[in-house]
Amino acid sequence: MSNPQVIELTEYQPTYLDRDSLPDELGELLWRSYHQQVAVEFPSPKTGNRWQLTSQGWVGHIPLTPDVHLSLQPKVALDNLFRMLEYAYNLDFKLLPGLVDSQSLAEFYERLANILARRVLDRGRKGFYRAYIPQNDALPYIRGRLDMRQVAGQPGQINVRCHYQEHTADVDENRILAWTMWQITRSGPCTERVLPTVRQAYRALQGLVTSQPYTANACLGRQYHRLNADYQPLHALCRFFLEQSGPGHRLGNRKMVPFLVNMAALYEKFVAAWLVDHLPPEVRLRAQERVDIGKINGVHFEIDLVLYNCLLYT
């Protein structure tokens, strides 16, 4: 694929483009599909007969077509953004050499993708995590425990129903990795410098797991133990990629998917994570707490962050 035209936008700063630089159909596609991320003013006397595009507090990469991409830049310094991402998603990389030196968010995304892919390949060399999964199937041989009720009720059947456990790598731990690798291969920011490694990591998992979609929530609240403890940082990275390029951004059958970070939500996650690490033991934090106002009309508020003094409730 040839190098696409990249249009750069900065948070909340209007960018003007000549009318001929953006075809009408692409302007309409941007307005219809990404109006929450980018405000689009069509050419008119109001805009001096030019396109006016304004990023609405999002940063990332939008591949409108293979030939035209939008790069949404943050208004904060990139190293500050990286630290917020690291803290909010518990990436625990201590800003590895090269990440802060990235010249753009797309390059940072690509480097993180490379880190994840290499860690997946490293886990593959050690052996992917496997677990015993209960199975119940009719087999032409006996495996595990016979279903004696079925055998007694249907004498003479060639296939008998058995209850057994299968030791398999087709478990959520690995399926989350595979789905994330697949999403990254379709992302706009990744180039041929990193895509071969990402594809290699995906192929290492492809023959072991069932392909199915996952959201970022699948990476939360998972139980880890000595056999799969090294999956915890992998899933933290998967959460980052899935949350910024998930189904909410119209995956469908598109060849390329966008990468978008909501800066307001990121800042909220960062503040919550920082407070959890620094609050005294007697203070508890709850994020996104719902408070109902009355019981008739169903009015409620979603409060971003709530602090509780546990000593008051003892």
Side-chain angles (χ1 to χ4, degrees):
M1 185 176 65
S2 59
N3 292 330
Q5 173 193 357
V6 179
I7 301 171
E8 288 196 358
L9 308 179
T10 302
E11 275 186 282
Y12 298 113
Q13 295 181 12
T15 297
Y16 293 91
L17 304 174
D18 293 337
R19 183 187 185 99
D20 296 336
S21 64
L22 188 67
D24 289 347
E25 59 271 18
L26 287 190
E28 183 176 350
L29 173 63
L30 179 62
W31 170 62
R32 291 188 182 278
S33 300
Y34 300 102
H35 59 275
Q36 293 183 348
Q37 290 79 33
V38 179
V40 180
E41 290 284 350
F42 288 76
S44 68
K46 175 184 174 182
T47 62
N49 205 32
R50 298 175 296 174
W51 293 95
Q52 178 182 312
L53 308 179
T54 308
S55 174
Q56 300 294 293
W58 294 71
V59 299
H61 196 89
I62 299 177
L64 280 178
T65 69
D67 299 320
V68 180
H69 294 191
L70 264 68
S71 177
L72 311 184
Q73 298 296 320
K75 60 183 178 182
V76 301
L78 280 177
D79 56 343
N80 290 339
L81 176 61
F82 299 161
R83 287 184 172 88
M84 283 196 291
L85 287 168
E86 183 189 29
Y87 223 113
Y89 288 90
N90 192 27
L91 299 180
D92 196 26
F93 287 151
K94 305 307 178 190
L95 290 176
L96 295 175
L99 289 183
V100 180
D101 297 334
S102 302
Q103 299 301 310
S104 67
L105 189 62
E107 186 177 343
F108 174 69
Y109 175 98
E110 187 175 58
R111 293 194 182 194
L112 280 184
N114 189 43
I115 290 171
L116 176 59
R118 290 187 179 280
R119 291 192 176 191
V120 169
L121 289 172
D122 182 60
R123 177 67 208 214
R125 284 188 286 269
K126 298 175 182 176
F128 289 113
Y129 172 69
R130 292 174 177 265
Y132 286 97
I133 306 298
Q135 302 287 344
N136 178 7
D137 200 3
L139 303 174
Y141 50 85
I142 297 175
R143 181 178 180 182
R145 179 172 57 86
L146 276 175
D147 188 334
M148 295 306 299
R149 179 178 297 180
Q150 185 263 347
V151 172
Q154 297 178 338
Q157 287 288 331
I158 297 177
N159 292 341
V160 292
R161 185 160 296 278
C162 301
H163 301 278
Y164 60 95
Q165 291 194 338
E166 183 176 2
H167 195 222
T168 177
D170 191 9
V171 292
D172 284 339
E173 283 82 354
N174 295 319
R175 289 196 291 255
I176 290 172
L177 298 181
W179 179 252
T180 305
M181 291 291 97
W182 167 241
Q183 292 301 93
I184 293 174
T185 62
R186 304 167 64 215
S187 68
C190 271
T191 66
E192 289 301 324
R193 293 178 299 181
V194 170
L195 278 177
T197 305
V198 176
R199 293 190 185 109
Q200 184 182 357
Y202 174 68
R203 286 195 297 269
L205 288 158
Q206 188 178 16
L208 299 175
V209 302
T210 304
S211 178
Q212 64 183 74
Y214 283 88
T215 66
N217 289 336
C219 303
L220 297 174
R222 304 198 63 81
Q223 297 296 319
Y224 299 97
H225 45 77
R226 64 180 183 86
L227 297 179
N228 68 350
D230 56 341
Y231 276 73
Q232 188 167 4
L234 296 179
H235 290 158
L237 263 178
C238 289
R239 178 191 166 207
F240 167 76
F241 286 109
L242 294 177
E243 199 158 69
Q244 317 313 332
S245 58
H249 297 310
R250 312 172 74 88
L251 292 183
N253 295 319
R254 296 179 56 174
K255 294 182 179 179
M256 293 186 295
V257 298
F259 161 64
L260 293 165
V261 179
N262 186 326
M263 290 300 292
L266 172 62
Y267 185 72
E268 182 183 320
K269 286 187 176 72
F270 163 72
V271 171
W274 189 93
L275 286 174
V276 167
D277 284 348
H278 293 83
L279 285 173
E282 66 272 14
V283 179
R284 180 167 54 90
L285 174 73
R286 184 175 295 174
Q288 292 298 319
E289 178 159 325
R290 176 178 173 135
V291 177
D292 293 314
I293 308 298
K295 298 182 179 180
I296 299 178
N297 296 324
V299 179
H300 68 275
F301 289 104
E302 295 284 349
I303 303 178
D304 293 338
L305 301 172
V306 180
L307 295 176
Y308 289 92
N309 188 336
C310 297
L311 295 179
L312 298 178
Y313 297 93
T314 57

